[in-house]
Coordinates of all heavy atoms in Angstrom, one line a residue:
Q276 N 60.0 29.5 136.6 CA 59.3 30.4 137.5 C 58.2 29.6 138.2 O 58.0 29.7 139.4 CB 58.8 31.6 136.8 CG 58.0 32.6 137.7 CD 57.5 33.8 137.0 OE1 57.8 34.0 135.8 NE2 56.8 34.7 137.7
L277 N 57.4 28.9 137.4 CA 56.2 28.2 138.0 C 56.7 27.1 138.9 O 56.1 26.8 139.9 CB 55.4 27.7 136.8 CG 54.6 28.7 136.0 CD1 53.9 28.0 134.8 CD2 53.6 29.4 136.9
A278 N 57.8 26.4 138.5 CA 58.3 25.3 139.3 C 58.8 25.9 140.7 O 58.6 25.2 141.7 CB 59.5 24.6 138.6
A279 N 59.4 27.1 140.7 CA 59.8 27.7 141.9 C 58.6 28.0 142.8 O 58.7 27.8 144.0 CB 60.7 28.9 141.7
Q280 N 57.6 28.6 142.2 CA 56.4 28.9 143.0 C 55.7 27.7 143.6 O 55.3 27.7 144.7 CB 55.4 29.7 142.1 CG 55.9 31.0 141.6 CD 55.0 31.7 140.6 OE1 54.1 31.0 140.1 NE2 55.2 32.9 140.3
A281 N 55.7 26.6 142.8 CA 55.1 25.4 143.2 C 55.9 24.8 144.4 O 55.3 24.3 145.4 CB 55.0 24.4 142.1
G282 N 57.2 24.9 144.3 CA 58.0 24.3 145.4 C 57.9 25.1 146.7 O 57.9 24.5 147.8
A283 N 57.7 26.5 146.6 CA 57.6 27.3 147.8 C 56.3 27.0 148.5 O 56.2 27.1 149.7 CB 57.7 28.8 147.4
A284 N 55.3 26.6 147.8 CA 54.0 26.4 148.4 C 53.7 24.9 148.7 O 52.7 24.5 149.2 CB 52.8 26.9 147.5
G285 N 54.7 24.1 148.5 CA 54.5 22.6 148.6 C 54.2 22.2 150.0 O 53.4 21.2 150.2
G286 N 54.6 22.8 151.0 CA 54.4 22.4 152.4 C 53.0 22.4 152.8 O 52.5 21.6 153.6
A287 N 52.2 23.3 152.2 CA 50.8 23.5 152.6 C 49.8 22.7 151.7 O 48.6 22.9 151.8 CB 50.4 25.0 152.5
A288 N 50.4 21.9 150.9 CA 49.5 21.2 149.9 C 48.7 20.1 150.6 O 49.1 19.4 151.5 CB 50.4 20.5 148.9
D289 N 47.4 20.0 150.1 CA 46.6 18.9 150.4 C 47.1 17.6 149.7 O 47.3 17.6 148.5 CB 45.1 19.2 150.0 CG 44.1 18.2 150.4 OD1 44.5 17.1 150.8 OD2 42.9 18.5 150.3
S290 N 47.3 16.6 150.5 CA 47.9 15.4 149.9 C 46.9 14.3 149.4 O 47.3 13.3 149.0 CB 48.9 14.7 150.9 OG 48.1 14.4 152.1
S291 N 45.6 14.7 149.5 CA 44.6 13.7 149.0 C 44.8 13.5 147.5 O 45.2 14.4 146.8 CB 43.2 14.2 149.3 OG 42.9 15.3 148.5
P292 N 44.5 12.3 147.0 CA 44.6 12.0 145.5 C 43.8 13.0 144.7 O 44.3 13.4 143.6 CB 44.1 10.6 145.4 CG 44.3 10.0 146.7 CD 44.1 11.1 147.7
I293 N 42.6 13.3 145.1 CA 41.8 14.3 144.3 C 42.4 15.6 144.3 O 42.5 16.3 143.2 CB 40.3 14.4 144.9 CG1 39.6 13.0 144.8 CG2 39.5 15.5 144.3 CD1 38.2 13.0 145.4
A294 N 42.9 16.1 145.4 CA 43.5 17.4 145.5 C 44.8 17.5 144.6 O 45.1 18.4 143.9 CB 43.8 17.8 146.9
Q295 N 45.5 16.4 144.7 CA 46.8 16.3 143.9 C 46.4 16.3 142.4 O 47.1 17.0 141.6 CB 47.5 15.1 144.2 CG 48.2 15.1 145.6 CD 48.9 13.8 145.9 OE1 49.1 12.9 145.1 NE2 49.3 13.6 147.2
A296 N 45.4 15.6 142.0 CA 44.9 15.6 140.6 C 44.5 17.0 140.1 O 44.8 17.4 139.0 CB 43.8 14.6 140.4
V297 N 43.8 17.7 141.0 CA 43.3 19.0 140.7 C 44.5 20.0 140.5 O 44.6 20.8 139.6 CB 42.4 19.6 141.8 CG1 42.1 21.1 141.6 CG2 41.1 18.8 141.7
R298 N 45.5 19.9 141.4 CA 46.7 20.7 141.3 C 47.5 20.4 140.1 O 48.0 21.3 139.4 CB 47.6 20.5 142.6 CG 47.0 21.2 143.8 CD 48.1 21.3 144.9 NE 48.5 20.0 145.4 CZ 48.0 19.4 146.4 NH1 47.0 19.9 147.0 NH2 48.5 18.2 146.8
L299 N 47.6 19.1 139.8 CA 48.4 18.8 138.5 C 47.7 19.3 137.3 O 48.3 19.8 136.4 CB 48.6 17.3 138.4 CG 49.6 16.7 139.4 CD1 49.6 15.1 139.3 CD2 51.0 17.2 139.1
G300 N 46.3 19.2 137.3 CA 45.5 19.8 136.2 C 45.7 21.3 136.0 O 45.9 21.8 134.9
A301 N 45.6 21.9 137.2 CA 45.7 23.4 137.2 C 47.2 23.8 136.7 O 47.3 24.8 136.0 CB 45.5 24.0 138.5
E302 N 48.1 23.0 137.2 CA 49.5 23.3 136.8 C 49.7 23.1 135.3 O 50.4 24.0 134.6 CB 50.5 22.4 137.6 CG 52.0 22.7 137.3 CD 52.9 21.9 138.1 OE1 52.4 21.2 139.1 OE2 54.1 21.8 137.8
K303 N 49.1 22.1 134.8 CA 49.3 21.8 133.3 C 48.6 22.9 132.5 O 49.1 23.4 131.5 CB 48.7 20.5 133.0 CG 48.8 20.1 131.5 CD 48.4 18.7 131.2 CE 48.6 18.4 129.7 NZ 49.9 18.6 129.2
E304 N 47.4 23.4 133.0 CA 46.7 24.5 132.3 C 47.5 25.7 132.3 O 47.6 26.5 131.3 CB 45.3 24.7 132.9 CG 44.3 23.7 132.6 CD 43.0 23.8 133.4 OE1 43.0 24.7 134.3 OE2 42.0 23.2 133.1
G305 N 48.2 26.0 133.5 CA 49.0 27.1 133.6 C 50.2 27.1 132.6 O 50.6 28.0 132.0
Q306 N 50.8 25.8 132.5 CA 51.9 25.7 131.6 C 51.5 25.9 130.1 O 52.2 26.5 129.3 CB 52.5 24.2 131.7 CG 53.1 24.0 133.1 CD 54.4 24.8 133.3 OE1 55.0 25.2 132.3 NE2 54.7 25.1 134.5
N307 N 50.3 25.4 129.8 CA 49.8 25.5 128.4 C 49.6 27.0 128.1 O 50.0 27.5 127.0 CB 48.5 24.8 128.2 CG 48.7 23.3 128.1 OD1 49.8 22.8 127.6 ND2 47.8 22.5 128.5
L308 N 49.0 27.7 129.1 CA 48.8 29.1 128.8 C 50.1 29.9 128.7 O 50.2 30.8 127.9 CB 48.0 29.7 130.0 CG 46.5 29.4 130.0 CD1 45.8 29.8 131.3 CD2 45.8 30.2 128.9
A309 N 51.1 29.5 129.5 CA 52.4 30.2 129.4 C 53.0 30.0 128.1 O 53.6 30.9 127.5 CB 53.3 29.7 130.6
R310 N 53.0 28.7 127.6 CA 53.6 28.4 126.3 C 52.9 29.2 125.2 O 53.5 29.7 124.3 CB 53.5 26.9 126.1 CG 54.6 26.1 126.9 CD 54.7 24.7 126.4 NE 53.5 23.9 126.7 CZ 53.4 23.2 127.8 NH1 54.4 23.3 128.7 NH2 52.3 22.5 128.1
L311 N 51.5 29.2 125.2 CA 50.8 29.9 124.1 C 51.0 31.4 124.2 O 51.2 32.0 123.1 CB 49.3 29.6 124.3 CG 48.9 28.1 124.0 CD1 47.4 27.9 124.4 CD2 49.1 27.8 122.5
Q312 N 51.1 32.0 125.4 CA 51.3 33.4 125.5 C 52.7 33.7 125.0 O 52.9 34.7 124.3 CB 51.1 33.9 126.9 CG 51.1 35.4 127.0 CD 50.0 36.1 126.3 OE1 48.8 35.7 126.5 NE2 50.3 37.0 125.4
S313 N 53.7 32.9 125.3 CA 55.0 33.1 124.9 C 55.1 33.0 123.3 O 55.8 33.8 122.7 CB 56.0 32.1 125.5 OG 56.1 32.2 126.9
A314 N 54.4 32.0 122.8 CA 54.4 31.9 121.3 C 53.8 33.1 120.7 O 54.3 33.6 119.6 CB 53.7 30.6 120.9
L315 N 52.7 33.6 121.2 CA 52.1 34.8 120.7 C 53.0 36.0 120.8 O 53.1 36.8 119.9 CB 50.7 35.1 121.4 CG 50.0 36.3 121.0 CD1 49.6 36.3 119.5 CD2 48.7 36.5 121.8
D316 N 53.6 36.2 122.0 CA 54.5 37.4 122.2 C 55.7 37.4 121.3 O 56.2 38.4 120.9 CB 54.9 37.4 123.6 CG 53.8 37.7 124.6 OD1 52.7 38.2 124.2 OD2 53.9 37.4 125.8
A317 N 56.1 36.2 120.9 CA 57.3 36.1 120.0 C 57.0 36.4 118.6 O 58.0 36.6 117.8 CB 57.9 34.6 120.1
L318 N 55.8 36.5 118.2 CA 55.5 36.7 116.7 C 55.7 38.2 116.4 O 55.3 39.1 117.1 CB 54.0 36.4 116.5 CG 53.6 34.9 116.6 CD1 52.1 34.7 116.4 CD2 54.4 34.0 115.6
S319 N 56.2 38.4 115.2 CA 56.4 39.8 114.7 C 55.0 40.2 114.2 O 54.1 39.4 114.0 CB 57.4 39.8 113.6 OG 56.9 39.1 112.5
P320 N 54.8 41.5 113.9 CA 53.5 41.9 113.3 C 53.2 41.2 112.0 O 52.0 40.8 111.8 CB 53.8 43.4 113.0 CG 54.7 43.8 114.1 CD 55.7 42.7 114.2
A321 N 54.2 40.9 111.1 CA 53.9 40.2 109.9 C 53.5 38.8 110.2 O 52.6 38.2 109.5 CB 55.2 40.2 109.0
Q322 N 54.1 38.2 111.2 CA 53.8 36.8 111.5 C 52.4 36.7 112.1 O 51.7 35.7 111.9 CB 54.8 36.2 112.5 CG 56.2 36.0 111.9 CD 57.3 35.9 112.9 OE1 57.1 36.1 114.1 NE2 58.5 35.5 112.5
R323 N 52.0 37.7 112.9 CA 50.7 37.7 113.4 C 49.6 37.7 112.4 O 48.5 37.2 112.6 CB 50.5 38.9 114.4 CG 51.2 38.8 115.7 CD 51.1 40.0 116.5 NE 51.7 39.9 117.8 CZ 51.1 39.8 119.0 NH1 49.8 39.8 119.0 NH2 51.8 39.6 120.1
G324 N 49.9 38.3 111.2 CA 48.9 38.4 110.2 C 49.0 37.3 109.2 O 48.2 37.2 108.2
A325 N 50.0 36.3 109.4 CA 50.1 35.2 108.4 C 48.9 34.3 108.5 O 48.3 34.1 109.6 CB 51.4 34.5 108.8
A326 N 48.6 33.6 107.4 CA 47.5 32.7 107.3 C 47.9 31.4 108.1 O 49.0 31.0 108.2 CB 47.2 32.3 105.8
V327 N 46.8 30.7 108.6 CA 47.0 29.6 109.4 C 46.4 28.3 108.7 O 45.4 28.4 108.1 CB 46.3 29.7 110.8 CG1 46.4 28.4 111.6 CG2 46.9 30.9 111.5
A328 N 47.1 27.2 108.8 CA 46.6 25.9 108.4 C 47.0 24.9 109.5 O 48.0 25.1 110.2 CB 47.2 25.5 107.0
V329 N 46.2 23.9 109.6 CA 46.5 22.9 110.6 C 46.4 21.5 110.0 O 45.8 21.3 108.9 CB 45.4 23.0 111.8 CG1 45.6 24.3 112.5 CG2 44.0 22.8 111.3
R330 N 47.0 20.5 110.7 CA 46.8 19.1 110.3 C 45.7 18.6 111.3 O 45.9 18.4 112.5 CB 48.1 18.4 110.5 CG 48.1 17.0 109.9 CD 49.4 16.3 109.9 NE 50.4 17.0 109.1 CZ 50.4 16.9 107.7 NH1 49.6 16.0 107.2 NH2 51.3 17.5 107.0
M331 N 44.6 18.3 110.7 CA 43.4 17.9 111.5 C 43.5 16.4 111.8 O 43.9 15.6 111.0 CB 42.1 18.2 110.7 CG 41.9 19.7 110.5 SD 40.5 20.0 109.5 CE 39.1 19.3 110.5
H332 N 43.1 16.1 113.1 CA 43.0 14.7 113.5 C 41.6 14.2 113.7 O 41.4 13.1 114.3 CB 43.8 14.6 114.8 CG 45.3 14.9 114.7 ND1 46.1 14.1 114.0 CD2 46.0 15.9 115.1 CE1 47.4 14.6 114.0 NE2 47.3 15.7 114.7
G333 N 40.7 14.9 113.2 CA 39.3 14.5 113.3 C 38.5 15.2 112.2 O 39.0 15.8 111.3
V334 N 37.1 15.0 112.3 CA 36.3 15.5 111.2 C 36.2 17.1 111.3 O 36.2 17.8 110.3 CB 34.9 14.9 111.3 CG1 33.9 15.6 110.3 CG2 34.9 13.4 111.1
D335 N 36.1 17.6 112.5 CA 36.0 19.0 112.8 C 37.3 19.6 113.3 O 38.1 18.9 114.0 CB 34.9 19.3 113.7 CG 33.5 18.9 113.1 OD1 33.3 19.1 111.9 OD2 32.8 18.3 113.9
W336 N 37.6 20.9 113.1 CA 38.7 21.5 113.6 C 38.6 21.5 115.2 O 37.6 21.8 115.8 CB 38.8 22.9 113.1 CG 39.9 23.7 113.8 CD1 41.2 23.3 114.0 CD2 39.8 25.1 114.3 NE1 41.9 24.3 114.6 CE2 41.1 25.4 114.8 CE3 38.8 26.0 114.4 CZ2 41.4 26.6 115.4 CZ3 39.1 27.2 115.0 CH2 40.3 27.5 115.5

Side-chain angles (χ1 to χ4, degrees):
Q276 180 181 355
L277 290 175
Q280 292 173 350
D289 183 346
S290 60
S291 70
I293 293 178
Q295 291 178 10
V297 170
R298 284 196 297 271
L299 287 175
E302 185 178 345
K303 182 172 179 57
E304 287 174 350
Q306 294 294 335
N307 285 330
L308 282 169
R310 284 193 289 271
L311 291 169
Q312 188 64 55
S313 296
L315 176 60
D316 293 342
L318 296 177
S319 68
Q322 292 163 350
R323 286 175 179 253
V327 175
V329 296
R330 189 172 296 279
M331 295 174 62
H332 296 292
V334 176
D335 299 315
W336 172 47

